[in-house]
Amino acid sequence: MALHIHEAWILLCVIPALVTPAAINHEDYPADEGDQTSSNDNLIFDDYRGKGCVDDSGFVYKLGERFFPGHSNCPCVCTEDGPVCDQPECPKIHPKCTKVEHNGCCPECKEVKNFCEYHGKNYKILEEFKPSPCEWCRCEPSNEVHCVVADCAVPECVNPVYEPEQCCPVCKNGPNCFAGTTIIPAGIEVKVDDCNICHCHNGDWWKPAQCSKRECQGKQAL
């Protein structure tokens, strides 16, 4: 009985030594992440030159097939020399365009500005408006505002006033002029003091009055 135990012990010691590393099948053990990454770096892609075209996403197109590359909205045709893409002369976008779409090969204007902007306000085409009492304006089809400023005549008085909603000043008290610092009405002679009688120039209301001395009343020479 002791002999059989001794022989079994010898077999247990000898069997591991007979198992060599070559006998272990590596397919039984999954490769770690590092081994998988290094194996992917050695992938070799097919050469499609002369056979087809590859777009930006890696999709392969046959010779003669039309496709749209990822960086352009213009169509391309796959040839043996590679993609041949349309490059048309696109029309210019209207400078007043407010909405441009880029879905096609050329950008398209979908909405043109149909109003005028003036001092922060919008006006319709051909609309007339008065931004101030002295201005008359219109929104032109070119989206530009053209204005005319009223040309006021020279007032016939030295103290004109501006009425609300009126452009030009008015002489509320009629024509007049200055006689010194005194305002006198036009058309009549005015005795401004005991010795001087004045009247306004005919038509030249901005000029000083013409005065002449008369015999002073109420004063006697000393």
Side-chain angles (χ1 to χ4, degrees), residues 71-94:
H71 62 279
S72 173
N73 289 326
C74 295
C76 299
V77 177
C78 180
T79 69
E80 293 184 355
D81 297 327
V84 177
C85 302
D86 292 342
Q87 304 227 344
E89 293 185 5
C90 297
K92 293 183 179 180
I93 299 296
H94 195 284

Side-chain angles (χ1 to χ4, degrees), residues 100-119:
V100 181
E101 288 188 358
H102 299 273
N103 296 330
C105 188
C106 291
E108 294 184 46
C109 179
K110 294 299 183 181
E111 185 175 340
V112 179
K113 181 179 177 182
N114 58 354
F115 61 90
C116 300
E117 185 176 353
Y118 189 77
H119 291 176

